[in-house]
Amino acid sequence: MPRPYKPRFVSAKPHVTFFKPAGIPKSALGEIVLTVDELEALKLKDIEKLGQSECAERMKIARNAIDS
């Protein structure tokens, strides 16, 4: 049985829906789908340089949710 969904705190919804390199047609690229909470975790970890525990506190989730 899967775990029940726990809401995550996200500071803001993204303004764009996709990223791609300039000069390459979208049809020639593969696609990777990120959820809003995955994007928030990347932002906190890579842009704001927070540790995993700090990211989990900001998103109001358990740290192991970020590790997986």
Side-chain angles (χ1 to χ4, degrees):
M1 174 178 242
R3 282 187 165 170
Y5 177 77
K6 180 174 182 179
R8 289 144 166 79
F9 177 79
V10 177
S11 61
K13 287 201 171 205
H15 297 286
V16 294
T17 58
F18 70 92
F19 298 95
K20 75 169 202 64
I24 300 175
K26 194 174 170 185
S27 61
L29 298 171
E31 184 175 312
I32 297 173
V33 177
L34 293 176
T35 63
V36 174
D37 55 314
E38 289 172 326
L39 185 61
E40 180 75 6
L42 284 172
K43 181 190 81 141
L44 293 173
K45 185 79 173 118
D46 294 340
I47 295 173
E48 296 188 21
K49 306 290 188 208
L50 298 178
Q52 290 180 341
S53 296
E54 295 164 311
C55 293
E57 282 179 29
R58 284 247 196 123
M59 294 180 71
K60 302 186 185 329
I61 58 172
R63 185 181 144 185
N64 63 353
I66 292 176
D67 293 336
S68 56

